[in-house]
Amino acid sequence: MELQPVPDPTGDPFFDALRRRHPDVDVVLLPPEPPPADPDAVVDEDLPGAVLARVATLAEDLWAAAARDSDAVPEARMVYGDGPGAVRAASRVATRRDDGFHVLVALRHELETHGWAVTRPPGAVERIEGHLDDLTVTASYVEGTGALLFRLTSGSLTVGLDRARELTRHPGGGR
């Protein structure tokens, strides 16, 4: 990418004055960021429920394959997504196990077998992260405590502010 000096005014009084007073200084102005997604651009009314059902089923299948003897069951719900009026489906299991590392290995194998792109983020905690289309799986295991966390999330869906509040509301006033 080649930068071209622009002799014309930028339209910004601050930068125009800066360029006049310091012609020897290179000033780089980036184009403005695109506006955020229109909160009124709402997805189909039934789509969040279908995405939640898909995430719940997939999470149950992955968890059952990776932790065959587990009594824990993934809990699925809608959570806030990226930006105002957006939600995403999320399913998770938080448990304690002595064989958590083996569960991560089995989960990684299951994900890779089904075409997921799987990585191990750096750090002291054993973790894996997998991506397939708009889905993300994260799992981590802390050997000293036996804490194992598995989470599957969908991509963000714009549903509007009121609908997002309604979908993320939980019994007992929780979020």
Side-chain angles (χ1 to χ4, degrees):
M1 177 168 133
E2 186 177 325
L3 299 177
Q4 298 288 331
V6 179
D8 300 329
T10 64
D12 184 304
F14 174 80
F15 288 109
D16 289 341
L18 179 67
R19 289 174 70 190
R20 279 192 311 275
R21 292 180 184 154
H22 301 283
D24 56 323
V25 175
D26 291 330
V27 177
V28 178
L29 298 177
L30 300 176
E33 290 189 26
D38 181 10
D40 295 328
V42 178
V43 297
D44 178 14
E45 181 83 16
D46 298 330
L47 186 58
V51 171
L52 182 61
R54 175 182 176 220
V55 165
T57 301
L58 183 57
E60 289 171 6
D61 292 347
L62 289 171
W63 182 251
R68 289 188 170 91
D69 61 343
S70 178
D71 294 334
V73 178
E75 296 177 20
R77 65 186 181 123
M78 297 305 286
V79 297
Y80 287 108
D82 300 333
V87 295
R88 72 177 70 242
S91 186
R92 69 181 286 249
V93 173
T95 187
R96 293 193 185 274
R97 297 177 62 104
D98 293 332
D99 65 341
F101 182 77
H102 298 292
V103 172
L104 289 184
V105 170
L107 179 60
R108 181 178 189 129
H109 173 73
E110 189 69 20
L111 292 171
E112 288 176 338
T113 300
H114 290 92
W116 291 68
V118 183
T119 60
R120 187 214 183 272
V125 174
E126 290 297 330
R127 299 185 306 160
I128 62 170
E129 187 172 301
H131 298 277
L132 179 68
D133 300 328
D134 67 335
L135 300 172
T136 302
V137 166
T138 57
S140 61
Y141 174 66
V142 181
E143 188 174 0
T145 64
L148 177 67
L149 177 64
F150 164 80
R151 182 175 166 131
L152 172 67
T153 58
S154 71
S156 258
L157 303 170
T158 302
V159 295
L161 293 172
D162 292 336
R163 182 85 168 120
R165 284 187 198 106
E166 177 186 322
L167 288 170
T168 57
R169 188 171 292 129
H170 301 287
R175 289 176 39 143

